[in-house]
Structures are given as C-alpha cells and as structure tokens.
Amino acid sequence: MHAARRSPLRLPRPAICLALACTLSAGSLLSQVTPWQTQIAASPDAQTLPEDRGADGLAQTLRKLHTWASLMTIVAHPDDEDGGLLTLESRGLGARTALLTLTRGEGGQNAMSSEADDALGLIRTNELLLADEYSGTEQFFSRVADYGFSKTIDEAHEKWGRDRVLYDAVRAVRIYRPLVVTSVFVGGITDGHGHHQVAGEAAQEVYKLAGDPNVFPDQIAEGLLPWKPLKIYERLPFFSITQRGMFDYATNKWAPVRFYNYITGEWSDKAPSADVQIPEGTYDPILGRSYFQIAREGWSNQKSQYGGGNYPLPGPVSVAYHRYASDVPVSDHETNIFDGIDTSLPGMAILAHGDATFLKTALSKIDQHVMTATFGYLPSDPSKIAPELAAGYRETLDLIAAVKDSPLSATDKANIDHELRVKVTQFNTAIAEALGLQVNAFVIPRTADKPDALSNTAADTPIAVTPSSEFDVRLHVTSAGPWSTGGPLRLTKTWLEPSDTTPWTMQRLGSPGMDSVWSNAGDIIYRVTVPHNARLTRPYFSRPDTEQAYYDLSDPKLANRPLAPYPLAGWAEFTYDGLPIRIGQVVQTVHREHGFGSLYEPLVVLPKISVGFSSNAGIVTLGATAFPLTVTVKNEQAEKDDATLHLELPSGWTSDPPTASLHLRAGEAIPTTFTIHPTAVDTSSVPIKAIAQSGNDLFNEGVQEVGYPGVRPYFLYRSASYEARGADVKVDPKLNIGYIMGTGDAMPQALEELGLHPHLLTTAEISGSDLSRYNAIVIGIRAYSNRPELRANTQRLMDYVRQGGSLIVQYQSVGFGSQDAPYALSLGGNPEKVVEEKDPVTLTDNALFQWPNKISSADFNGWVEERGHSFLDSWDSHYSPLTETHDPGQDPQRGGLIYTRLGKGNYIYVAYALYRQVPEGIPGAFRILANLVSIGANLNVTATATNSH
C-alpha cells in the first residue's frame, strides 16, 4: 500500500462537514479537492460546497497559485471569527487562511440540543469546521476549554495558565507560518469577555515570540522551526467608546479609556486608529455574491448558540483594523493587510538570504505558467489549460530539488520548501479540477467475491464498524475525459489507507469497469477486516472533569488539530504527462434519515460494547437502605452478542442482581437497573463503576453520539463510573410534575432522582390538556426561544397558576419579558451573569426556603461553572426577590430568584444554574429544586400570601 506523502510541518485538511447533517443525498458524491487545501490529503466530505467545485473551484485555485500570501486569525470561541475577512482573503485574493480558536466553546449555551460541556464542544467544533468551509479556512485549536463566561483576563490566565495558551498559539504559528496575524480582539475590556482578551493578547504575543528559537525550545526539538510573522492587526473595538469612557460588556460598567500594546508594553489613553478598512461586502462575480454573504451563511451554521443566523443583503460592508506592528514599510492608511509585502509568487524569494537569483528566476517561470493558464482558462473546456498547469507543476518540483541542493542555509531551505510544497498541492488540485478527476470511497453491503458491474447509487450501511469486524468498500474512480495506457492521462494505482499504524487486512475482490485500456469510470471492491486492536474514533483530547479548564492529549502529535483522523480513506493516483496527481476521500457510510433522504457520513470505528450511566453523578437520600441505579449496555456490532454486566461497589455494598446476563441484538441497547444496598449513606461521595464482559474483552466506557440534524456527529467517550452522593433531601413523592423542555437539559432526570416522575408536555398538551392535574409545571432553560406555543398559551399558563398551580420558569434568553409573565419584568438589554461559582448567596427568610428542606447558603457550596445566567434587571412590585449574589465589582444581583403569588398559585423565575449542578450531583441544587416544586404544598407559603393579602 502506497501512502500519500505528508509534510512534517503541515496539518492535513481538517474534518469538515456539510449542511443537512453534514452529508448529502445518495448519488451526489462529487469533488474531493478544494482550492484552499494546502496538503494532499483525503477529504472527509462526501461533497464539497458549490463554491469549491467545477469552474468556480478551478478559478479560485488559479488565484491561489498566483500568490504566497498567508494569514492566521486568533480568536477565543467558535463564532468569534471575522469570516468576512477570511473569505475575502482566501476566496477573493487567493491567500492561505487559517483560524486558531483557543477553545471549542464547551461552556456556551446550546440552542439546539441537550448536550453540554465537552459534548457541546464537539458539536461546536464541527459547526465551526462547516463555517470554515465557507470562508475557505484551515482550522487549529489550543488545549484550553471554555469554562463559562469570564469577566476578566486575570481569571482566564488563572484557569488556563498564560503559558499554556501561548505555547499552543506559538506552535500553531510555527506550523502554519503566516505572513500576517490578526485577531478580532485587542486584549482589553472592550473585548467583552476574559477569553476574548486572552485571544487578543495571544495574537500580539505570538508576533513577538514565534520567531524566537529560545521560546518553547521543545517545539524546535520536535521539528518545528521558528517563524516571525511580518505584520499584526486587530479589529477595532466593537463596543462603545464615548465621553463616559469605554464600555466593558463583561461587567456592564464604564471605565476610563486605556488600551495596552502587548508588543511595546505601553498604555495609551486613545482608541486604536483605523489603519486599514477590509471591504468584506465586495461582490465576487465568479462566486455570485459578496464575501460577507458567503461568510455569514457559514457562520449561520453555528446554530447551537443562536438557533441559526440571518442571511445578509448584498451591499457594502467594511470592517476596520488597527496595525499593532510591522516588519515592512507601511503607510498610515493601507488598502490591504498585505500592503508592503510582495505576495506575488516571485516575492517568495525574500525567504532566501544571500544570492537568490536562481530562486527568483525559477519562481518567475512558474508564475508565468500560472498566468498563461489563467488567461487561457475557459470554464467550458478546463482541460485545455492542463498542459500549462503541468508545466508549472514540473517547474515547482525541479525548484524543490534545486533548493535542496543549493548553498542556502538549512532554515532558508526549510522555509522555501514549505511554501513550494503548498504550491505542489495547489497544482495537484488545479490539474484534478481541470481534468475532472474524482474518487469516491464508501461502504457497501456485502458483495460477491467476484462482483459484476455496480449500480450508480448506494445502499444503506451501518455508520460504524467494530474491531475484528469485516465489511466491503467500493472505490469509484472517474474522470471527465478518458484515461488510457498510452495517453497523457493514466490511472496508475488505487488503494485503501488506514490512519492507524496497526495494519488492516484488505482483500481486493474485483475491479468491474477497470479491465479496459480506455475508460473514464471504474470500480475496485475491497473486503476489509478491522484489526482487533484498531484505534477507536474518539477525541484525542479529554479531561477528568469540567473543573479542569484544559485538556490532556492522548497523542501530542495531534495537538492543534480539530479532530483525530478518520480511520480509513480511499485513494487514486493518476499521472498526467508523467506527473503524479493524487486524490483521496475518507471512506463514507450511507444511511437514510427521514426528511433528508440517504445521507453520507465518514466511517468510524467504535468499541464492540458500550457501557455507561446516564449521568456522572447523582444523589442518594441520607439513611437510605437501598436505591436503584441503571446502567445501559449497547452492542455496537452488526451482529448479535452476549455480555455480562456487574458493578464495582465499595466494600460491604451489594447489588441485586449481582451480575446481569445480556443477550444483545445487533445495535441493541439494554438498560439494566440494579438495586444497590449500601452499608450506610452519609454526605460523602462514593464511586461506583460498571464493567461489561464479552468473551475475553472487558468494556468500561460509554460512547455518546453527539450532534443534531445539520451538523456532522462525533463521539464522546465517558468512563462508566458514577458518583453517588448522600444528600439530606425531602420531597413528597406523590407530587405530579409537568415539564416543558426547552433547548435541552437534565432536569427531568433530576426530578426522577428525587422520586418524582415528571411528564414532558407536548405542544398539544400545553394548548389543550387539563393542566390542573399538575402540582407544578417547570419550564426548561431557553424554552421561550424555541417553543413558540408557550407565548401563544401565556393566558392558559397564568390561569393554571390562578387556579392553584405552581409555574417555575428557569433562565431564559433575551426576548423573554412581561408578555410571558403575570406582571412586568425585564432581563435588560444585556442580561447579567454571575459567573463565580463560589460567590456568597444571601437568602431572605421566605417560607420557600423553610420546607420541605431548610435551605441555607450552604446549599450553594460545591457549585460548578457559575451561579447563574440571565438575572432579571427589573420587576414589578408584586414580585419578591428572595436572594442576592454578585461577582466582585458587580452590582448586587437580586433578580436570580423572584416569586409572586397569583390567585391561588405561585409563579417563580429562577436564574440560578440548577441545570448545570444536577448532572454533577450537587446536593444543594436537588434540595432547592425539591423546595421549588413543593411550593404549592408549602402551607407556610400559602399562609404568608393570605396574611399579606
């Protein structure tokens, strides 16, 4: 098996996905190359965007061949990026563009599904990779995790470690080697978030540090070389600067105007100047819309944060950037961020120190071939420019050899070689586009040992394989014109290549359509056996818990990459005029999804058996002599299997049954409930582990597929362990609770742990059922943003309260207000957050806190991530604020828990992040939740309300 060449200083093209479940209709497998790829690597996409295909794609590749401009933008979270800048530079001007996103957005909100924390981080990773495809940008990440909203750069430094961020940022710059670095943040309070400030700081710091070999010398030992960007820009602050000063969005406070230059170490009392305007609204006649429009469509696919964006109208859009430093002469007002740098192909010669005459001459000849091809390009007959492209390709290979044999320094040789190999990739792409070369690799149902001609459509297959399993793969190779044994275009070889170092067994069954000396389409069928110890498809980054604000890496070589490589790819190598042209695609699977049709997704390798609990932790009532605990075992194989399941318990504890025997059909998941008999339950935390055995193999991890329709799924692994935490919590088990799920949370499960059995209300039930059967109805987080029936039935819900019901509303998004409540209330334009989870909480002596559990400030101990989100800004005098808390320097926040009596019932708004605490088994959160849903039965509340009236 022949492996594609991989440069040690380059990252392969990242895994990126398409709209509509990051897949496409069966029969629509298309191009595997994109203009913006910088390494010959297997595409994870079944189909690239229209902008990257056909005439549009080749036109953009020709633009890129004509320049060596390169840019890296550094931001904090997915959706922070200035996609208009990246799209303009990549698709419009042909520059290489990269995005370093420090976090994966783990601490953000989720408007699309119930996943949170690291699962949400995987979703946002794939959302961002989809957005990158629109801007034509390569993606990098650091190791740090989004731990939630941060108000200061000091907190971010403390949580992340300043050097950890700089280490990863410097490494990304040394890998990608951009001429210019930018950020959308300036490293000050106008950035509106502590994480944003770190990104702005990091962009300036890498300009200073990445070129110094004494900075992080282990990276140099790894094989990376120092790299000094020539210029650094950051976008002008997008929050107000007025006579009052500058506004800090994070704290909702005004402050004196002060900006810090991390390069010079100087403070300034003036706002940064606008040194260059980026015309992002420029219309591209080849692509048929503006760069800003293309970018915003990509940004709109990051739906977990906003539920989807708005597509902008065409027209001028300009964004101002400030230049913080430059190593080349510049004017006060520039026209582009590359002003002062010769980014033409011959301009690459500045990388050579000493006599570079041979380099300039060769680069000019290559550039002439590119220009001739560009002027001769006819979209109706792109193959006409293939000879000119081949000539430029051959000149580039010759120049690589000449540079290697030249007297230039080792550093100069490496820098020039890096850029020339990018050109080799771009020539490979351009010739593949000009000749219409394609390869499609996908799993097929088991076929005959000697297959005949195959259909042009694909049948459904499982999305995953497991170790030791066997499956068939079809490699479909096509070209716009014919290849032959004696013509300029020849198909020289095809193969499957695993990303794993463990060998896979591959048997070639046949090659229908490949037995002709003249053809433009054919297939090769393989029977593949997955090795028993195959590497599983999983994140290469993990952390023991969410309190650790950074990831540990299972394979440091993968650092900065979005995801680990998919397990298997199909390749074809042609020669054109004797030059190798290589294209590849990650092996795809096909399955049908209602509303989408047949969809393609990359093949993954999962463990044979998955075992796990529904949450990491939960509560057990103090003094309990028994409690139930459910473990789910899933057979990920395509055939049935038997397994046994048992729990590892503390000394003296027992379970009933001691062991469960399971007979699992293919793909079947079986929940098994054990009754746990503890020796004693106190307030300590007790670990419990689940282990399944199948044959001689033991399994102690659960696999969770995360995602939603419209984004490629990925797989999160969790240890099959559970923390049982004793809690002194009381609640009437006869309470009947209704729950209206919003964007997704774990509160119904928490109610189950309290011994209650909530009913999830449907749209029809909200609109037409008898709500009075419920003692309390709880509205889930952000429900008013995705359940329009709530607002339509406000009167029904208020009538339910008036007749004696209790309505508990958890935190909501902007837009929630007086129209949704019995009396006026408001979140304000920028809802307050209390982000320090250890901030003290002061309680009133309201009866809500007295029964059935005596709630005190101690019930807020041990909380994670934050106190709460979307505290009310104002409210009518009918409401009573029951708590107060605040971050250091923040105004007192009394809008976190408000209560009013309405008729015979109770209305409560609670901004405290109970939904984040219950999955972690925080006892106080369960006690508070019990009191909230019990308020209707709290005679002290009723008596207080009556006396007040």
Side-chain angles (χ1 to χ4, degrees), residues 118-200:
D118 295 0
L120 176 58
L122 291 175
I123 291 173
R124 297 189 70 182
T125 294
N126 274 320
E127 288 178 330
L128 179 56
L129 291 172
L130 175 54
D132 289 340
E133 183 156 330
Y134 284 81
S135 63
T137 297
E138 295 182 88
Q139 182 65 50
F140 295 78
F141 286 96
S142 83
R143 285 169 293 166
V144 298
D146 179 354
Y147 55 82
F149 192 84
S150 178
K151 295 185 177 180
T152 68
I153 192 172
D154 292 334
E155 181 195 28
H157 285 158
E158 178 185 353
K159 293 272 191 179
W160 287 344
R162 185 172 181 271
D163 281 354
R164 181 176 287 110
V165 173
L166 292 180
Y167 183 96
D168 291 350
V170 166
R171 188 176 188 275
V173 167
R174 286 172 173 172
I175 291 171
Y176 197 72
R177 312 178 81 71
L179 292 172
V180 176
V181 171
T182 71
S183 180
V184 300
F185 307 115
V186 300
I189 63 172
T190 55
D191 293 336
H193 198 307
H195 299 174
H196 295 170
Q197 295 182 54
V198 172

Side-chain angles (χ1 to χ4, degrees), residues 563-594:
L563 298 166
Y566 285 100
L568 190 63
W571 285 90
E573 183 176 283
F574 295 83
T575 59
Y576 179 75
D577 196 20
L579 293 166
I581 309 298
R582 202 173 281 160
I583 53 175
Q585 183 183 67
V586 167
V587 172
Q588 305 285 314
T589 63
V590 188
H591 71 280
R592 185 170 182 81
E593 200 168 303
H594 184 71

Side-chain angles (χ1 to χ4, degrees), residues 64-145:
K64 289 183 174 291
L65 276 167
H66 194 53
T67 180
W68 72 297
S70 56
L71 161 71
M72 174 176 279
T73 292
I74 300 177
V75 298
H77 313 106
D79 78 17
D80 286 345
E81 64 277 359
D82 183 352
L85 167 69
L86 294 168
T87 309
L88 168 67
E89 299 295 348
S90 176
R91 295 194 180 278
L93 302 181
R96 286 192 295 121
T97 57
L99 177 64
L100 169 60
T101 308
L102 298 183
T103 78
R104 298 169 186 268
E106 300 87 345
Q109 310 307 311
N110 189 349
M112 296 299 295
S113 59
S114 62
E115 287 95 345
D117 300 320
D118 295 0
L120 176 58
L122 291 175
I123 291 173
R124 297 189 70 182
T125 294
N126 274 320
E127 288 178 330
L128 179 56
L129 291 172
L130 175 54
D132 289 340
E133 183 156 330
Y134 284 81
S135 63
T137 297
E138 295 182 88
Q139 182 65 50
F140 295 78
F141 286 96
S142 83
R143 285 169 293 166
V144 298

Side-chain angles (χ1 to χ4, degrees), residues 236-445:
L236 264 60
F238 47 91
F239 290 115
S240 300
I241 299 175
T242 69
Q243 292 181 344
R244 296 177 63 186
M246 56 187 189
F247 188 70
D248 184 352
Y249 167 80
T251 62
N252 285 342
K253 301 281 188 181
W254 290 89
V257 176
R258 290 188 81 213
F259 289 92
Y260 188 68
N261 186 316
Y262 292 89
I263 297 170
T264 64
E266 297 173 341
W267 285 96
S268 172
D269 60 1
K270 296 181 180 179
S273 59
D275 297 320
V276 63
Q277 295 282 344
I278 309 300
E280 299 179 4
T282 301
Y283 176 81
D284 189 314
I286 291 176
L287 302 177
R289 49 184 174 161
S290 75
Y291 303 114
F292 184 70
Q293 288 178 298
I294 296 171
R296 292 302 286 186
E297 182 177 351
W299 184 89
S300 297
N301 284 287
Q302 302 188 65
K303 297 177 182 178
S304 63
Q305 299 310 287
Y306 310 102
N310 294 323
Y311 186 72
L313 294 172
V317 175
S318 183
V319 178
Y321 276 76
H322 174 72
R323 183 186 62 253
Y324 277 85
S326 175
D327 287 353
V328 297
V330 292
S331 61
D332 289 340
H333 297 287
E334 300 175 286
T335 59
N336 189 273
I337 59 174
F338 293 106
D339 281 5
I341 306 173
D342 184 354
T343 58
S344 70
L345 202 53
M348 192 191 301
I350 67 170
L351 294 173
H353 299 82
D355 185 3
T357 304
F358 83 97
L359 183 60
K360 294 177 183 177
T361 301
L363 287 169
S364 295
K365 290 176 65 177
I366 296 168
D367 192 45
Q368 186 61 51
H369 288 300
V370 174
M371 293 174 65
T372 302
T374 301
F375 289 127
Y377 174 44
L378 291 174
S380 61
D381 190 3
S383 64
K384 284 188 174 181
I385 65 171
E388 201 68 47
L389 292 170
Y393 186 177
R394 182 171 283 104
E395 294 275 5
T396 304
L397 294 176
D398 291 343
L399 182 54
I400 289 173
V403 168
K404 181 179 179 181
D405 294 336
S406 75
L408 294 174
S409 70
T411 297
D412 287 356
K413 288 180 180 180
N415 289 335
I416 297 166
D417 184 82
H418 175 271
E419 296 297 334
L420 290 177
R421 292 193 184 279
V422 171
K423 294 303 156 191
V424 166
T425 296
Q426 291 170 349
F427 275 118
N428 184 91
T429 296
I431 295 173
E433 291 169 327
L435 300 177
L437 308 182
Q438 296 184 39
V439 60
N440 304 115
F442 51 100
V443 178
I444 58 174

Side-chain angles (χ1 to χ4, degrees), residues 931-949:
N931 279 30
L932 290 173
V933 298
S934 300
I935 190 170
N938 189 334
L939 299 179
N940 292 324
V941 170
T942 305
T944 301
T946 302
N947 293 337
S948 174
H949 178 72

Side-chain angles (χ1 to χ4, degrees), residues 450-612:
K450 293 184 178 180
D452 297 323
L454 300 169
S455 167
N456 63 353
T457 60
D460 282 12
T461 59
I463 66 169
V465 293
T466 56
S468 303
S469 64
E470 190 177 79
F471 62 99
D472 290 356
V473 172
R474 176 182 179 183
L475 195 64
H476 184 63
V477 184
T478 59
S479 64
W483 66 76
S484 64
T485 57
L489 179 64
R490 304 180 184 186
L491 177 61
T492 57
K493 57 183 169 182
T494 57
W495 71 100
L496 296 182
E497 182 177 324
S499 61
D500 198 349
T501 56
T502 304
W504 290 40
T505 301
M506 301 175 195
Q507 177 188 0
R508 188 164 176 154
L509 299 180
S511 51
M514 289 289 192
D515 51 1
S516 172
V517 296
W518 187 95
S519 179
N520 68 342
D523 294 279
I524 306 92
I525 309 301
Y526 297 90
R527 181 151 297 152
V528 181
T529 303
V530 185
H532 180 74
N533 58 340
R535 184 172 59 194
L536 304 177
T537 305
R538 64 189 303 163
Y540 69 89
F541 46 89
S542 63
R543 50 181 174 161
D545 53 57
T546 56
E547 290 300 287
Q548 179 174 303
Y550 58 89
Y551 288 110
D552 302 315
L553 306 184
S554 61
D555 185 352
K557 295 191 297 294
L558 297 177
N560 292 118
R561 292 181 64 152
L563 298 166
Y566 285 100
L568 190 63
W571 285 90
E573 183 176 283
F574 295 83
T575 59
Y576 179 75
D577 196 20
L579 293 166
I581 309 298
R582 202 173 281 160
I583 53 175
Q585 183 183 67
V586 167
V587 172
Q588 305 285 314
T589 63
V590 188
H591 71 280
R592 185 170 182 81
E593 200 168 303
H594 184 71
F596 294 99
S598 293
L599 306 175
Y600 285 85
E601 292 175 4
L603 176 73
V604 298
V605 178
L606 298 181
K608 293 180 179 180
I609 299 292
S610 169
V611 53

